[in-house]
Structure formats: C-alpha cells, structure tokens
Amino acid sequence: MDNTLVHKTATGAIWATIDRFGNMALQFIVNLVLARLLMPDDFGAIGMLAIFIAVSQVIIDGGFGNALIQKKNPSQTDYSTIFYWNIGLSTVMYSLLYAFSPYIAIYFKMPILSDVLRAIGLILITTSIISIQTVRLRKQLAFKTIAITNLGSYITASGLAIYLAYIGWGVWSLVLLQITSGIMSIILYWFQTRWHPSLTFSIKTICSLFSFGGYLFAAGILQEVCKNLQGIIIGKKFSATQMGYYSQAYKLDIVCSYSIPQVIVQVMFPVYSSIQDDKQKLIAILSMNIRIISFLIFPLMGLLILIAEPLINALYGKIWLPCVPYFQILCIGGLFVCLQNINFYAVAAVGRSRNLFLWSFYKWGFLLAALLIGINWGIYGLLWGMVLSSLNIYLINAYLAFRFVGISIINQIINILINIALTFIAFTIAWTINSYFNLHFIIMSIIFTLSYLVLAYGFKNKGLFESINLAKRLIK
C-alpha cells in the first residue's frame, strides 16, 4: 500500500478500534447493570425477536451498502437512490412486522411480544435513515465520525435504559435502549456530516449495484436467518428463561469471537477493494490478518473457557450461573467464528459475491441440519451443532479465499493449529496449577496469559511479532 493509504488505513483502524472497543465496553457495563436489574425472561423476550429484526435489516440494506463500498467511484445519484430505496423498504418491512406481531406472540406463547415487536421494529426506520451516511464514511475510511456518533448515541440511550430498568420498566427498558440509540444516531450524523440526498432516483443505479450487492443480499438473508434460528428453536422448544441464559452467554461470547476481529474486517474491506487487482498484495495482507486474529483471539477464548464460572458469577451474579456451560461451548465455536469474515470479505472484494451466495446454501443448510439433529440431545446438543457449523463455515470461506484470492488453505490451517496448540498448553498449565492451589480467577488469568506469551516468544510465533509491529504502527 502507498503511504497515503497506509496512513488512512492506520487512522481508520485506530478510530474503528475506539468505536468497536468503546461500544463493547459501554455495552458490557450497561449489560452488567441491566442484568442485575432485570430477569432472564426480559433478555429472553428480546432474543426471541432478534431474527425478525436482523432479517428485516438485511432485506432493507439489500447488499447495496457493500456494493457502494466495492464500487470505486459512486456518485451522489448512487447514494441518493439507495437512500430513498432504504427508506421505502424499511417502511414496508415495519408494516409487515406490525401486522404479523400478534401471530409471532402466539407462536412463542408470550402475548407481550406483540407490543414489544411493534415498538422495537421502529429501529428499522432509524437504521435506514443513517445507512448511506455510514457507507459514505466507511468508503472514506472516516471511522472517527462513526466512532463519535456511535459512542455518543449509545451513552445517551444507555443512561435512559438503566433509569427505566431501575424504576421497574422491565423488558421495555431494553426496547427503548435500541430506539433511543437510533434516534440519537440520526441527530449526530446530521450535525457531523450535513449530507443530504439529492432529489433524484435512478433505476440504472439499482440494477447496476444489485448485480454485485444482490448476491450478498441473498447470502446475508440466509446468514441472518440461520444465525438467529437457534433463538426461535430455543424460545419455542424450551423457555424464555433458558432463552435469556443463552442470550446472555451469546452476547458475552460474541464480543470476543466476533466484535474484536470485526474491527480489522470493517477497516480492511475498503482496503481489499482498493487493491483487488493486485493479488499478491491482497494475499499478503490477508495472511497477516489471519495470523494476527488467531494469535489474539484463540488465547482469549481459551481463557474465557477456563474462568467462565467465577467470571460470570462476579459479573452477573449467581442467578446467571446456569449460562456457564452455554458460554463455554459457544467459546469453542468462537475459535472459528473469529476467522469467518476475514476470508468472506476478501472474496467479496474481488467481486465474487455470486459464489458467496451459492455456497451460502450449503453453509446454512449444514447449520439447519446440525441444529435439528442436535436438538435431540437438548440445548447442549443444539449448541454443539452450532460449533460444528462454525467450523464448517470457516472451512468453506477459506476454500473460497483459496479459489478466488489464491491464499493457501494449508498455510491458514498451519497458522491456526500453531495458535491452538499454544493456547491448549497455556490452558493446561493454568488449569493444573489451579487444581492444586484453588486460585482466584484473576491470578489464573495472569498465569495463563504469561504462559501463552512466553510460549509464543519461545517458538518465534509470527503472529506475536506481527501484532507488536501493528501496535507500534498504529501508535506511530
């Protein structure tokens, strides 16, 4: 990459990191407070409805967001057209959710879900209003503006949500958390960017962008349906309380296995697109990203498995201890979740969205089969089915990256196995010492971390030195 692109990428990475980790920290703290003010049933109710909101948002985006980022020089007409498209479609989707909400409540046998879905569905409209502004800023690698907006809106919304939970609003405090955050985002984006659409709408733009984004759109629908399918199964097959335990375990796992790697992914997608014609450079950057992510995330997942019970007890209280085994199983799947998108977006950047779409039928069909088979062994069988599916999705994305980008699957797996081995050895050391001395989980964490770093340095792990170099470059 030339110096200008390096500087913009590094600056973007810093602000994307501030955005992601700042929001993660805020959400984590707010979740801790709300978990002590609300019941598992309240979180379970929101979890049951997640699939309807997630799928609706994918339909509204239609893949046009990624298509605009992938397009080298989108015009004001392009941006304006997709803006109006998103507004219109979000209104339609909200109307459908409003109409079908009573039937959804009947399916889950929870009458309150009808009113909850009608209220929380409003975020479809707020999200559609700011979607193009977010795309334009990502295209420009202007992650500073995105970070300020996201943090500012969430701080305001979370303060209101905590107050409402404290005075006994229950599940409605979680609903208003999301709605208020969306409204604040609209206000802050407008004041910071002052962008507004032109009075123009182009069918040609819709057609040209859909030729790329349409496949990502279809793949995204399949992905969101299958990602949230377990919520429907758990909510119907088990109870709102178990759904609440699963929801809390999933939120804690996803912070580490998905959100942290996503900092790199969201910065690198525009970069991948800008160097899509230079395969050697693309392979080199992609390989480095895989090494860094696996070096950082694998030990984190291992550590969370090791200290899961005392950690959840300390954070949420004894009422949430039943979610410990859920969390540990999800962390195992997180070893593969953390690497899925880095390969996915590399393939998308070289214009192979159609192939991603076609393979998504197999990936999500595999998940559906794993869930349906796993459910015969209860909720734990379902969770292990999710782990197998996560491994399968990673392998398919790695294969597609090999086929269309040229990165070696063997080299990927070798780098991954090295970091898994180091994590396992560090885990064994910390677990063995704790079995003799019954240490506090913070002491266990220190022993695990030191063991991992010493082993990585001793074996000259490339991911260690690349992570250090990346940190130095970002600081510089």
Side-chain angles (χ1 to χ4, degrees):
M1 291 186 288
D2 57 47
N3 291 333
T4 301
L5 186 56
V6 168
H7 177 72
K8 291 183 70 176
T9 303
T11 303
I14 291 171
W15 280 104
T17 303
I18 292 172
D19 178 25
R20 180 65 65 173
F21 284 96
N23 270 290
M24 281 169 45
L26 283 172
Q27 290 173 13
F28 184 71
I29 294 170
V30 171
N31 194 48
L32 287 181
V33 177
L34 292 176
R36 292 181 178 273
L37 295 174
L38 302 174
M39 299 300 292
D41 293 16
D42 297 321
F43 290 93
I46 298 297
M48 291 175 187
L49 300 177
I51 186 171
F52 304 104
I53 301 299
V55 172
S56 297
Q57 287 178 325
V58 172
I59 292 174
I60 293 166
D61 178 76
F64 291 127
N66 284 327
L68 285 169
I69 293 175
Q70 198 267 349
K71 187 174 182 178
K72 291 186 177 180
N73 295 296
S75 65
Q76 174 70 0
T77 298
D78 293 332
Y79 288 128
S80 300
T81 297
I82 302 306
F83 175 82
Y84 292 124
W85 174 271
N86 288 347
I87 293 293
L89 197 54
S90 66
T91 303
V92 172
M93 294 306 302
Y94 175 71
S95 299
L96 290 173
L97 290 182
Y98 190 95
F100 283 96
S101 60
Y103 303 102
I104 294 172
I106 291 172
Y107 173 81
F108 286 112
K109 298 179 181 179
M110 290 184 66
I112 194 175
L113 291 185
S114 178
D115 291 334
V116 170
L117 183 56
R118 287 176 172 178
I120 205 170
L122 291 171
I123 66 174
L124 300 178
I125 297 175
T126 60
T127 301
S128 69
I129 293 173
I130 64 174
S131 60
I132 295 304
Q133 290 168 305
T134 305
V135 167
R136 291 179 73 252
L137 293 170
R138 286 183 63 199
K139 183 79 175 176
Q140 301 162 9
L141 297 179
F143 290 97
K144 177 180 179 180
T145 302
I146 296 175
I148 292 173
T149 300
N150 289 342
L151 293 173
S153 61
Y154 194 80
I155 288 172
T156 304
S158 60
L160 175 63
I162 291 173
Y163 172 73
L164 294 176
Y166 178 74
I167 63 175
W169 278 46
V171 69
W172 292 105
S173 59
L174 298 175
V175 173
L176 288 170
L177 170 63
Q178 298 191 44
I179 295 175
T180 306
S181 179
I183 293 172
M184 288 302 303
S185 294
I186 294 173
I187 296 171
L188 292 175
Y189 270 126
W190 189 86
F191 274 108
Q192 291 191 91
T193 67
R194 300 300 176 102
W195 178 86
H196 57 83
S198 302
L199 294 176
T200 179
F201 188 90
S202 172
I203 297 297
K204 182 179 179 181
T205 291
I206 295 289
C207 295
S208 64
L209 291 178
F210 195 78
S211 65
F212 172 84
Y215 291 113
L216 290 183
F217 158 66
I221 290 179
L222 284 172
Q223 178 174 332
E224 290 303 325
V225 167
C226 292
K227 274 173 58 180
N228 293 279
L229 188 61
Q230 54 270 26
I232 287 184
I233 296 174
I234 294 172
K236 179 66 176 178
K237 183 78 173 179
F238 301 102
S239 66
T241 299
Q242 285 177 296
M243 182 64 209
Y245 290 141
Y246 166 78
S247 178
Q248 202 71 289
Y250 179 77
K251 281 191 285 188
L252 188 56
D253 164 67
I254 211 69
V255 166
C256 304
S257 65
Y258 178 81
S259 296
I260 295 176
Q262 192 68 7
V263 172
I264 295 177
V265 170
Q266 70 174 340
V267 173
M268 294 311 299
F269 181 43
V271 175
Y272 290 158
S273 298
S274 68
I275 59 173
Q276 58 186 277
D277 297 325
D278 189 340
K279 288 292 182 69
Q280 292 303 313
K281 187 179 294 185
L282 182 57
I283 291 172
I285 295 175
L286 178 59
S287 299
M288 180 185 70
N289 290 338
I290 290 171
R291 287 192 294 268
I292 290 175
I293 289 175
S294 62
F295 174 78
L296 296 175
I297 303 302
F298 284 13
L300 180 57
M301 305 313 294
L303 176 60
L304 290 174
I305 294 171
L306 179 67
I307 64 171
E309 183 172 345
L311 177 66
I312 289 177
N313 184 40
L315 294 177
Y316 302 122
K318 292 183 179 180
I319 190 175
W320 291 99
L321 285 179
C323 78
V324 168
Y326 299 8
F327 177 61
Q328 291 173 318
I329 296 172
L330 290 173
C331 283
I332 296 174
L335 296 174
F336 312 109
V337 171
C338 70
L339 294 171
Q340 289 174 1
N341 279 348
I342 200 72
N343 281 311
F344 181 93
Y345 281 105
V347 176
V350 296
R352 292 291 183 168
S353 57
R354 181 175 183 273
N355 299 92
L356 291 171
F357 166 63
L358 294 176
W359 274 97
S360 65
F361 283 101
Y362 165 73
K363 290 188 293 186
W364 305 119
F366 183 98
L367 171 60
L368 179 59
L371 293 179
L372 293 177
I373 294 172
I375 197 70
N376 293 297
W377 285 271
I379 193 166
Y380 295 122
L382 184 143
L383 293 172
W384 279 111
M386 291 173 59
V387 172
L388 289 176
S389 174
S390 296
L391 171 60
N392 178 64
I393 293 170
Y394 163 71
L395 291 174
I396 294 302
N397 288 349
Y399 164 73
L400 294 175
F402 161 71
R403 182 176 175 185
F404 298 114
V405 180
I407 183 171
S408 169
I409 297 179
I410 300 300
N411 287 341
Q412 276 202 52
I413 293 177
I414 289 174
N415 288 322
I416 289 171
L417 289 177
I418 289 172
N419 289 324
I420 287 179
L422 295 179
T423 299
F424 179 76
I425 296 172
F427 182 98
T428 303
I429 291 172
W431 182 84
T432 302
I433 294 174
N434 180 66
S435 64
Y436 284 102
F437 299 103
N438 193 24
L439 303 171
H440 190 277
F441 75 92
I442 294 179
I443 303 298
M444 273 199 294
S445 301
I446 294 173
I447 293 173
F448 175 91
T449 303
L450 290 176
S451 299
Y452 181 78
L453 292 176
V454 169
L455 287 166
Y457 183 81
F459 285 98
K460 307 298 181 185
N461 186 288
K462 199 170 183 179
L464 168 64
F465 299 105
E466 287 175 330
S467 299
I468 293 173
N469 289 334
L470 177 61
K472 290 180 178 178
R473 183 177 296 178
L474 292 177
I475 293 172
K476 182 178 179 181

